[in-house]
Amino acid sequence: MKKELVQNAYAIAKEQYAELGVDTDKVLKAMEELVISLHCWQTDDVGGFEKPGAELGGGGIQVTGNYPGKASTIAEMRKDLDKVMSLLPGKQRLNLHAIYGEFGGQLVDRDQIEVKHFQGWIDWAKERGMGLDFNGTLFSHPKADDGFTLSSKNEEDRKFWVEHVKRCRKIAAAMGEQLGTPAVHNTWIPDGSKDTPVDRFTHRALLKKSLDEIYAEEIPTKYVKDAIESKLFGIGSESMVVGSHDFYLCYAAQNKKLICLDNGHFHPTEQVGDKISACLQFVDELLLHVTRGVRWDSDHVATFNDEILLIAQEIVRANVLNRVNIGLDYFDASLNRVGAYVVGARSVQKAFMFAMLEPTELIKKYEQDNKYYERLHLLEMMKSKPFGAVWDYFCLQNNVPFEFECISDIQKYENEVLSKR
Ligand code: RNT
Ligand code: ZN
């Protein structure tokens, strides 16, 4: 697409939005500050580098597909992430899982990991001026095979996982301290049961006990922000998930933790967008895992759909962007993985931009005056405003390819790099 075309289209769009009192230049500035945390695990289908040739184990996470080009070393992963970031406008962070440390070919068990295994990542992030986020890996491990980790009735196993998460928290704190931006340290566990259990209570009491042990040590929030992530069900935990939304929301509110809302982890008609204003009355900050749920799968590539749009709108309308940490969480092994990052991250950015281009004050006024027809019409009208022209201009400003150009760029990377792996 020609640069002049994009500039001209932007000038027209700017005027159209200005008519409604929306300042597109301001929106472009706000978009520069919107940070998306890229989940490292789309590069290699949540495999990790714990053991040479490691493949994903069980634990409620399933990746399907075998598209060629998956990263199988840290160097490949970094190369892919650099490629992804070169195609994204705006700012990014990187979200690592504990299985992505540099273990030097040694088997370092989860209760043994240390900051040194992630120092390379910290240096890598520092060079790029970006922040890191972190997650314990409480799946794909023999001690998670029976379906329980932090809520295990086997005290040895439970202690093992408590130790793992304590260490993850320290690693996250080191990331936050060295990079000068707090690392969000998120905990998701696969714990649950396939069939109806009779003792949910003990498992939940054990999970509470484990979390209390993990967070016993005070670490300043300028280094690490702890988040907990619920799920509705998983493969193998269809009948009960120990870390349910009720459980974690209560825990987060009572213990000043972040609640992580993964929009693939709720009943299909429940909307995470609706939960934001509820949770933020009781917790200081949220972590979002942005994804696309499809039937039983919670991890398809995010798209610019109504669900994501409502999330973005609720955050922008309530003016709480500074209390929301945005992370991606999907893994699809059936398509170009670099492309999956780029299209998913851009879609999420677009949803936020669309939300920012809304004449919210005007619509709020209609709402307050019971003018519901007018509210509906204005909301519908915004859908045919030249939002794409503002988006293209944002790409131009950021010196990244436009949408269509991304496709050939990614195909080139596939031909030159990915297909040779
Ligand atoms: C699993 C959770 C969790 C994981 C990552 C890999 O259902 O969504 O966030 O996707 O930790
Ligand atoms: Zn998630």
Side-chain angles (χ1 to χ4, degrees):
M1 197 158 39
K2 279 207 190 104
K3 211 170 138 181
E4 298 76 62
L5 208 63
V6 173
Q7 283 162 334
N8 293 343
Y10 176 69
I12 295 168
K14 186 178 153 118
E15 257 185 70
Q16 285 202 37
Y17 281 105
E19 257 183 17
L20 298 165
V22 177
D23 182 342
T24 50
D25 289 337
K26 245 195 190 157
V27 169
L28 290 167
K29 275 213 189 87
M31 283 299 296
E32 292 291 350
E33 297 312 313
L34 185 88
V35 186
I36 307 277
S37 189
L38 298 173
H39 56 314
C40 75
W41 48 94
Q42 168 66 49
T43 55
D44 76 331
D45 318 334
V46 213
F49 303 112
E50 199 168 42
K51 352 181 191 354
E55 284 299 327
L56 178 77
I61 292 219
Q62 295 225 328
V63 187
T64 47
N66 56 359
Y67 198 84
K70 132 176 170 177
S72 55
T73 63
I74 291 197
E76 287 179 353
M77 186 170 167
R78 289 182 181 156
K79 197 176 164 81
D80 290 354
L81 290 167
D82 273 332
K83 181 68 201 173
V84 169
M85 290 191 286
S86 77
L87 296 176
L88 292 178
K91 290 201 178 94
Q92 292 88 43
R93 300 171 64 89
L94 177 66
N95 190 10
L96 288 168
H97 239 282
I99 47 176
Y100 290 88
E102 289 177 283
F103 303 117
Q106 306 285 323
L107 182 63
V108 181
D109 210 351
R110 309 265 169 100
D111 63 341
Q112 298 297 320
I113 58 168
E114 293 175 51
V115 176
K116 68 175 187 204
H117 301 119
F118 295 88
Q119 192 57 50
W121 278 115
I122 300 176
D123 298 341
W124 185 87
K126 197 172 219 162
E127 272 168 33
R128 285 155 182 77
M130 63 193 290
L132 289 177
D133 297 313
F134 202 56
N135 303 261
T137 312
L138 295 97
F139 49 83
S140 309
H141 189 280
K143 282 193 161 56
D145 277 352
D146 68 352
F148 294 96
T149 61
L150 292 178
S151 75
S152 177
K153 288 187 180 182
N154 176 328
E155 186 60 6
E156 195 192 310
D157 286 359
R158 191 186 69 81
K159 283 273 178 214
F160 173 89
W161 290 113
V162 166
E163 181 62 27
H164 173 61
V165 185
K166 276 187 180 172
R167 283 171 180 256
C168 288
R169 216 173 154 235
K170 290 239 168 82
I171 293 164
M175 291 171 165
E177 190 173 359
Q178 291 190 43
L179 297 170
T181 163
V184 178
H185 162 244
N186 182 49
T187 301
W188 173 77
I189 59 170
D191 300 32
S193 58
K194 183 183 174 86
D195 217 336
T196 311
V198 292
D199 187 14
R200 299 170 199 247
F201 195 93
T202 305
H203 285 296
R204 291 195 167 123
L206 284 165
L207 177 54
K208 179 171 183 297
K209 184 174 169 202
S210 295
L211 294 178
D212 290 346
E213 288 170 14
I214 287 163
Y215 302 133
E217 185 183 333
E218 287 272 337
I219 306 184
T221 48
K222 66 175 175 188
Y223 299 142
V224 65
K225 299 193 283 194
D226 298 300
I228 37 187
E229 179 182 5
S230 67
K231 194 164 180 169
L232 179 64
F233 78 95
I235 303 299
S237 62
E238 290 84 357
S239 298
M240 189 255 318
V241 163
V242 183
S244 58
H245 185 55
D246 313 55
F247 178 94
Y248 283 133
L249 188 56
C250 292
Y251 192 93
Q254 202 173 51
N255 297 280
K256 292 202 147 296
K257 297 296 167 200
L258 276 67
I259 186 81
C260 170
L261 300 172
D262 181 316
N263 64 287
H265 289 186
F266 293 88
H267 283 282
T269 59
E270 252 182 302
Q271 287 176 308
V272 162
D274 180 59
K275 297 178 188 298
I276 290 162
S277 56
C279 294
L280 282 181
Q281 309 298 331
F282 302 96
V283 300
D284 292 336
E285 285 187 39
L286 300 177
L287 168 63
L288 295 180
H289 269 190
V290 185
T291 182
R292 174 165 47 107
V294 178
R295 300 192 187 276
W296 55 266
D297 178 54
S298 62
D299 307 299
H300 277 58
V301 181
T303 58
F304 182 9
N305 60 15
D306 284 355
E307 191 178 343
I308 305 307
L309 182 57
L310 185 67
I311 292 173
Q313 286 168 325
E314 280 297 310
I315 294 168
V316 172
R317 289 168 181 164
N319 198 19
V320 291
L321 253 171
N322 59 339
R323 295 171 63 191
V324 179
N325 304 272
I326 308 163
L328 304 178
D329 181 16
Y330 52 79
F331 25 96
D332 187 340
S334 72
L335 74 178
N336 182 308
R337 294 170 184 81
V338 170
Y341 274 116
V342 175
V343 70
R346 279 177 173 241
S347 296
V348 175
Q349 288 177 303
K350 279 185 210 163
F352 277 92
M353 179 181 267
F354 190 92
M356 288 174 189
L357 287 168
E358 176 184 274
T360 308
E361 288 318 309
L362 181 58
I363 311 179
K364 272 191 188 161
K365 178 85 177 53
Y366 283 148
E367 182 166 290
Q368 213 164 305
D369 298 343
N370 285 346
K371 296 198 156 130
Y372 297 151
Y373 148 70
E374 290 83 345
R375 177 183 65 186
L376 183 63
H377 206 142
L378 225 149
L379 285 169
E380 283 303 292
M381 182 185 98
M382 294 318 291
K383 294 180 183 169
S384 54
K385 286 283 153 199
F387 148 73
V390 184
W391 172 257
D392 290 338
Y393 191 73
F394 182 54
C395 292
L396 181 68
Q397 271 193 332
N398 276 265
N399 211 7
V400 294
F402 304 117
E403 294 298 310
F404 194 48
E405 281 79 354
C406 274
I407 297 178
S408 47
D409 202 308
I410 289 167
Q411 282 175 338
K412 185 162 175 269
Y413 187 71
E414 174 163 292
N415 291 337
E416 289 171 4
V417 181
L418 300 176
S419 65
K420 306 234 156 79
R421 288 182 182 162

